[in-house]
């Protein structure tokens, strides 16, 4: 459950991340591919080498979707309906992978924000990412 | 048997070399208690864990954080036989402390994040991979004596 303070913190943090969405998104993806190589199996159709245009573009898309979710936390199910259908019926990603990617987003944020990535910010973002992933996986079965 | 490349060994030594043991352990333990509050169930005699500030300033949490990190150092010094190095610790956690082993991973993740916040961009994806492999071996060793 997200408190009012946490929801505000989440909106603040994602607004700051939007201008550097490509950097954050591509780094989080790269960390995931290198730390958890099995996640690469979902990306045979893209060039996911470090610095690749596909990686930067895809990373940006993900961060922008997360920012959209952050702005509409109370209505995640409706806001993410199309993404939810896409992940369930087309991408069909094994649900454990959401946790792996969420962890890599957190590590990326820690690297970028240092001490500003406080335990409170960490808790709020982790809860938000869990809620977001749950909606993405909602239609899986 | 775990196989370590020379590069992985070097990365793990480097990360430990840069760790401030007095800070990293306490920060990781307090972070896991804040971010995953159910882990507080194992620390009933630690006094005030009522909110984030109380946890961060709790001297027992800080002291125990240092104990955890020194335990991790033993694994680093015995990287080729973490399984046996941790046999007694595993028995302790399963039979005496009765910790649900799923929580080990949470503490490991929080420590990774504390290290990332400290090393910033020098905590490259490759170093993260080596570090997380090390922690996965540690967690697996801790889980071994659960029956």
């Amino acid at each position: 459950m997200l408190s009012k303070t946490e929801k505000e913190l989440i909106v603040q943090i994602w607004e700051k991340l939007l201008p550097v969405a490509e950097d954050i998104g591509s780094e989080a993806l790269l960390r995931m591919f290198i730390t958890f190589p099995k996640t690469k199996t979902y990306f045979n159709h893209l060039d996911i080498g470090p610095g690749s245009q596909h990686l930067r573009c895809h990373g940006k898309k993900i961060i922008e979707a997360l920012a959209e979710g952050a702005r509409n936390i109370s209505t995640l199910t409706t806001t993410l309906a199309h993404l939810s259908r896409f992940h369930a019926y087309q991408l069909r990603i094994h649900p454990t992978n959401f946790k792996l990617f969420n962890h890599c987003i957190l590590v990326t944020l820690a690297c970028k924000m240092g001490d500003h990535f406080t335990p409170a910010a960490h808790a709020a973002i982790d809860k938000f990412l869990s809620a977001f992933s749950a909606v993405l996986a909602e239609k899986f079965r | 048997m775990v196989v370590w490349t020379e590069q992985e060994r070097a990365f793990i030594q480097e990360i430990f070399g840069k760790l401030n043991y007095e800070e990293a352990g306490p920060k990781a333990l307090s972070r896991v208690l804040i971010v995953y509050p159910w882990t507080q169930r194992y620390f009933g005699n630690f006094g005030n864990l009522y909110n984030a500030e109380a946890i961060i300033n709790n001297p027992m949490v800080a002291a125990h954080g240092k104990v955890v990190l020194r335990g991790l150092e033993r694994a680093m010094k015995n990287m080729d036989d973490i399984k046996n190095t941790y046999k007694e610790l595993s028995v302790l956690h399963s039979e005496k402390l009765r910790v649900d082993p799923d929580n080990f991973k949470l503490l490991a993740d929080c420590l990774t994040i504390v290290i990332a916040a400290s090393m910033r961009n020098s905590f490259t994806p490759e170093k993260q991979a080596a570090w997380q492999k090390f922690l996965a071996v540690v967690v697996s060793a801790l889980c071994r004596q659960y029956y």
Side-chain angles (χ1 to χ4, degrees):
Chain A
M1 283 223 341
L2 285 164
S3 69
K4 185 162 170 286
T5 316
E6 284 175 325
K7 288 182 189 178
E8 285 165 3
L9 189 53
I10 289 162
V11 170
Q12 268 172 38
I13 290 176
W14 287 107
E15 288 305 306
K16 285 209 183 96
L17 294 178
L18 263 180
V20 286
E22 264 190 30
D23 291 334
I24 302 288
S26 59
E27 184 176 326
L29 281 169
L30 191 64
R31 285 184 183 279
M32 181 181 70
F33 295 142
I34 292 176
T35 307
F36 309 108
K38 68 178 186 99
T39 55
K40 292 191 288 191
T41 58
Y42 294 97
F43 292 88
N44 296 326
H45 60 296
L46 290 183
D47 165 20
I48 50 172
S52 82
Q53 200 39 47
H54 284 170
L55 194 69
R56 295 188 69 75
C57 192
H58 197 69
K60 185 176 182 211
K61 250 194 276 195
I62 293 173
I63 301 299
E64 286 174 346
L66 284 164
E68 177 73 14
R71 284 192 290 270
N72 297 281
I73 285 183
S74 315
T75 54
L76 271 184
T77 304
T78 34
T79 308
L80 302 178
H82 67 289
L83 268 180
S84 187
R85 278 193 298 275
F86 185 54
H87 280 75
Y89 304 130
Q90 277 166 262
L91 298 180
R92 289 174 291 186
I93 297 174
H94 192 297
T96 50
N97 294 296
F98 292 130
K99 285 199 179 137
L100 302 182
F101 185 52
N102 291 344
H103 172 68
C104 291
I105 293 176
L106 295 173
V107 172
T108 303
L109 292 184
C111 287
K112 298 301 174 205
M113 294 170 66
D115 285 339
H116 293 294
F117 193 56
T118 60
H122 177 172
I125 301 273
D126 193 29
K127 282 155 77 170
F128 167 66
L129 291 175
S130 299
F132 196 99
S133 309
V135 172
L136 286 184
E138 221 168 45
K139 297 179 168 55
F140 274 35
R141 54 176 176 172
Chain B
M1 206 190 101
V2 187
V3 177
W4 301 102
T5 64
E6 284 313 309
Q7 172 147 110
E8 284 169 339
R9 288 180 197 273
F11 281 158
I12 288 156
Q13 302 293 329
E14 179 195 332
I15 290 167
F16 268 94
K18 291 187 171 158
L19 266 182
N20 178 339
Y21 285 33
E22 298 297 297
E23 278 190 9
K27 277 182 173 172
L29 185 60
S30 58
R31 199 167 274 250
V32 83
L33 294 171
I34 293 167
V35 179
Y36 306 108
W38 56 87
T39 55
Q40 293 170 25
R41 75 189 302 280
Y42 303 109
F43 299 93
N45 61 337
F46 270 36
N48 186 0
L49 300 178
Y50 189 62
N51 55 33
E53 202 186 323
I55 291 169
I56 289 167
N57 292 314
N58 185 311
M60 290 180 83
V61 170
H64 197 68
K66 293 175 197 173
V67 166
V68 167
L69 209 53
R70 282 196 288 273
L72 210 57
E73 190 192 33
R74 276 177 57 214
M76 182 269 289
K77 290 183 169 160
N78 295 278
M79 267 173 72
D80 292 309
D81 196 14
I82 294 176
K83 205 164 63 182
N84 280 320
T85 305
Y86 268 28
K87 204 163 170 181
E88 280 144 17
L89 263 180
S90 181
V91 169
L92 173 74
H93 282 78
S94 74
E95 291 185 14
K96 188 169 173 233
L97 303 175
R98 300 195 187 255
V99 180
D100 180 339
D102 286 347
N103 294 304
F104 298 145
K105 191 176 177 307
L106 301 181
L107 179 55
D109 283 350
C110 284
L111 180 57
T112 302
I113 282 167
V114 164
I115 286 168
S118 157
M119 287 177 66
R120 309 296 293 269
N121 287 328
S122 71
F123 191 57
T124 61
E126 291 76 13
K127 284 179 198 168
Q128 179 187 348
W131 178 250
Q132 297 215 207
K133 178 176 165 179
F134 169 72
L135 288 179
V137 172
V138 163
V139 167
S140 166
L142 271 179
C143 291
R144 275 184 74 80
Q145 304 298 329
Y146 277 74
Y147 300 112

